Amino acid sequence: MTGVTSGDECTGPLRHLDSFLDRSLSARDTALVDRHLQSCPNCAGEFEVRELLRARLKRAVHNESVPPLLESRLTAGLRHQVEALDARRGLHFDWRQMAAIAALLLLCAAGPIVYLAASRGGTANPDALMQVGLGDHIHCAMDSARSEPAVVSGAALGSGYQDLVPEIKSVAPAGYRLTEAHRCTYDGREFVHLILGADLGGGSQVMSLVVTRKRKGETFAGASRADAPGTSGRVYLDRSDRYQIAALETPEHLVYLVSNWSERANTATMNVLSPAVRRILS
Amino acid sequence: MNAVTCDWLLSQGHIELTLEATGPAEQVTPTLSQFEAEAMPHMHDLYRTATRVLKDRARAEDVIQEVYLQAWNSFHRFEPGTNCRAWLFRILFHTVNHHRRKWFSVRLLGEREEYLEKNLTWNPPLPENLTDKEVLHALDRIPADFRTVVLLVDVEEFAYKEVAGILQIPIGTVMSRLSRGRKLLREQLAGFARSYGIGKSIVREKSV
């Protein structure tokens, strides 16, 4: 960089005026420009114009309003995305593995409750009964996590339950496919079990329909939480960790819909399924 | 002064950032609340700048959302007490550049070459009684590269060196874009004044 005062006495200071304005000149050059401005009205006037323009620009940009809810929107958006990322990228699991991990945690917690419920032979309290479907769901998700996805039909369910397959497929969101349709036994109780999964852009999704025969005296009536009674009967609600549970009972069966959706979505889906499920299981 | 490296993964690969920093790095996993306490106070500055650079409020909000997510993902590398604001601005312009081809028209890039050819000797007077609206309108009319540097220096008050770091361009480029950007802004404002008389309302200017 050439010295400020070289050549024509205004050329140097004018060339450095922006840097002078921004206090980015060396102490020596700052002093030289400063001295020149005190003796040259033209350059002093030019400096004032630039200083004024900068002040006006700053004021104009700062006076622009910021949307009142911007901060809360951004904070909520960030928290939502961080949660989604933690579920998807942070853990590096697909839905099967997620379910398996949850199982390891939950078998310890839910297992004893299920066991107690079963061992009391039908005198279980309704809230404990709500978790029966979940205990099984986790158990099978663990098994399925070990095997490769295969083409699944409802044949293994046996007559009387096969018809559940098209019904649950019809209420499953786009992108879901049936990954499990089987009978299984867990803690001495037999289950009919359907699992649908999807790997969507927003993370792994899973829904599961679990059906088991009632034991003597078992009922959800009296469970802590229930949806408003629908036309075809009441849906009872519970949750465990990230899973939502919506359950209904028929004279002979307990039926659970378990998913990692919102409670609202899970409950609404169970209400849609309810008439067909009651018809098939009657 | 020692350097701390803040990096994050973007879709096109691994990007490394180096910031001036003081003090030793702490290897403590930060919480989201800590991040918010550090980063959210700069939200208005980022939003204002993004709005003026992109000329679109909705897009600016989307970009800021993206910036905060990127920043959170690399926050474990961020050193408390260093210049968080410059760091966030750097992520902002990295994000903007990432979307640049989609957002800035070819016409704008062509205009830039044209502007570079213009002579630098004209120093028009500044109209009196400039309204905020007139100033913003003039700013919107200068090409994005120049507008960006003017915003960072004149409005956000970053030093040339910080702007060079934020935009990943040489400091000489910062200075020349700043000089030309200010001049272009002034020409725009002088143009308004010539067309309608100094101090007249900007409302009529829309008919141009």
Side-chain angles (χ1 to χ4, degrees):
Chain A
M1 199 175 286
T2 56
V4 163
T5 51
S6 64
D8 171 33
E9 67 170 6
C10 290
T11 309
L14 273 180
R15 194 170 62 233
H16 290 85
L17 215 48
D18 275 334
S19 296
F20 179 76
L21 179 68
D22 298 323
R23 295 189 176 84
S24 300
L25 287 181
S26 67
R28 178 179 157 273
D29 286 352
T30 299
L32 289 172
V33 173
D34 202 25
R35 199 178 310 146
H36 178 74
L37 292 181
Q38 283 176 26
S39 63
C40 176
N42 284 344
C43 287
E46 174 61 18
F47 177 72
E48 274 177 28
V49 168
R50 294 190 193 188
E51 204 173 28
L52 181 65
L53 177 60
R54 187 175 66 169
R56 287 287 157 81
L57 177 64
K58 189 175 176 186
R59 189 185 70 184
V61 175
H62 276 264
N63 281 349
E64 274 283 88
S65 64
V66 169
L69 294 176
L70 180 67
E71 185 161 359
S72 52
R73 271 204 302 275
L74 287 174
T75 307
L78 177 68
R79 287 186 173 263
H80 176 80
Q81 287 177 311
V82 166
E83 274 178 29
L85 276 180
D86 284 349
R88 178 166 96 222
R89 182 213 287 171
L91 296 173
H92 283 292
F93 298 133
D94 68 10
W95 70 268
R96 290 157 183 274
Q97 291 167 312
M98 265 165 56
I101 296 296
L104 293 173
L105 300 171
L106 278 169
L107 278 177
C108 306
I113 298 171
V114 175
Y115 177 75
L116 281 175
S119 63
R120 282 177 189 170
T123 57
N125 79 60
D127 287 338
L129 203 58
M130 284 297 295
Q131 296 280 336
V132 167
L134 183 74
D136 175 70
H137 161 75
I138 295 303
H139 162 75
C140 291
M142 275 183 88
D143 286 343
S144 66
R146 297 190 199 107
S147 59
E148 286 300 306
V151 178
V152 176
S153 75
L157 299 180
S159 61
Y161 297 105
Q162 280 182 33
D163 292 345
L164 289 171
V165 175
E167 295 298 336
I168 193 164
K169 276 184 173 172
S170 74
V171 297
Y176 279 65
R177 59 190 179 82
L178 192 66
T179 55
E180 285 291 332
H182 62 222
R183 281 170 177 259
C184 55
T185 304
Y186 178 67
D187 265 358
R189 189 188 271 272
E190 195 182 14
F191 295 93
V192 166
H193 196 181
L194 296 156
I195 303 175
L196 286 87
D199 273 310
L200 305 175
S204 299
Q205 304 289 322
V206 61
M207 66 183 284
S208 188
L209 189 74
V210 181
V211 182
T212 186
R213 280 194 175 272
K214 269 183 181 174
R215 288 176 180 170
K216 192 166 178 267
E218 282 183 342
T219 177
F220 292 134
S224 314
R225 298 193 55 234
D227 192 32
T231 49
S232 63
R234 197 178 274 278
V235 168
Y236 298 89
L237 309 177
D238 200 356
R239 64 169 300 156
S240 184
D241 193 44
R242 72 178 72 223
Y243 296 99
Q244 298 293 338
I245 306 168
L248 59 80
E249 60 181 298
T250 68
E252 291 181 9
H253 293 90
L254 303 173
V255 184
Y256 305 83
L257 181 70
V258 184
S259 75
N260 59 355
W261 306 334
S262 68
E263 179 177 280
R264 196 171 158 190
N266 193 60
T267 308
T269 305
M270 188 53 152
N271 275 314
V272 173
L273 263 178
S274 173
V277 167
R278 289 175 198 278
R279 190 186 68 244
I280 292 163
L281 298 179
S282 65
Chain B
M1 298 284 271
N2 66 323
V4 62
T5 303
C6 308
D7 60 346
W8 71 91
L9 289 165
L10 286 176
S11 52
Q12 71 269 57
H14 196 72
I15 313 295
E16 283 224 331
L17 297 181
T18 306
L19 281 181
E20 295 295 314
T22 53
E26 286 178 36
Q27 296 300 317
V28 180
T29 306
T31 66
L32 190 54
S33 300
Q34 284 169 334
F35 170 73
E36 285 169 348
E38 186 91 32
M40 283 300 172
H42 306 296
M43 187 265 294
H44 282 208
D45 290 348
L46 291 162
Y47 175 77
R48 262 201 312 260
T49 304
T51 306
R52 294 262 67 90
V53 169
L54 302 170
K55 299 196 273 192
D56 183 325
R57 284 172 161 248
R59 188 173 282 170
E61 187 170 334
D62 287 348
V63 167
I64 300 307
Q65 187 82 78
E66 202 175 329
V67 166
Y68 274 106
L69 188 63
Q70 300 278 14
W72 162 247
N73 286 340
S74 54
F75 189 59
H76 61 288
R77 299 290 196 91
F78 178 77
E79 205 176 298
T82 62
N83 195 340
C84 184
R85 189 164 170 269
W87 177 65
L88 289 168
F89 270 86
R90 190 154 172 180
I91 299 173
L92 169 65
F93 283 100
H94 191 276
T95 308
V96 168
N97 281 336
H98 179 61
H99 296 295
R100 192 184 182 99
R101 204 181 304 170
K102 201 167 60 197
W103 289 346
F104 293 108
S105 66
V106 177
R107 193 182 58 80
L108 267 178
L109 295 173
E111 257 176 42
R112 180 171 57 177
E113 302 309 316
E114 189 185 309
Y115 275 115
L116 285 170
E117 299 301 317
K118 283 203 172 183
N119 74 73
L120 293 168
T121 55
W122 189 44
N123 288 324
L126 202 61
E128 288 173 27
N129 307 319
L130 277 176
T131 65
D132 289 347
K133 220 173 166 183
E134 284 169 313
V135 174
L136 294 181
H137 187 72
L139 181 68
D140 284 352
R141 289 172 69 152
I142 70 176
D145 282 346
F146 300 104
R147 192 162 72 235
T148 299
V149 176
V150 171
L151 278 165
L152 290 175
V153 175
D154 283 352
V155 180
E156 301 305 331
E157 297 185 328
F158 284 111
Y160 296 168
K161 196 178 170 191
E162 289 175 305
V163 176
I166 288 167
L167 298 175
Q168 297 287 284
I169 55 177
I171 197 161
T173 309
V174 172
M175 290 166 73
S176 67
R177 285 187 191 174
L178 177 67
S179 170
R180 285 165 203 271
R182 282 171 171 169
K183 194 168 282 288
L184 289 168
L185 183 61
R186 213 162 136 185
E187 283 175 10
Q188 288 290 341
L189 290 168
F192 294 166
R194 263 208 315 280
S195 302
Y196 300 104
I198 290 169
K200 286 225 172 155
S201 165
I202 191 69
V203 177
R204 288 173 55 203
E205 173 270 330
K206 279 185 175 169
S207 63
V208 171

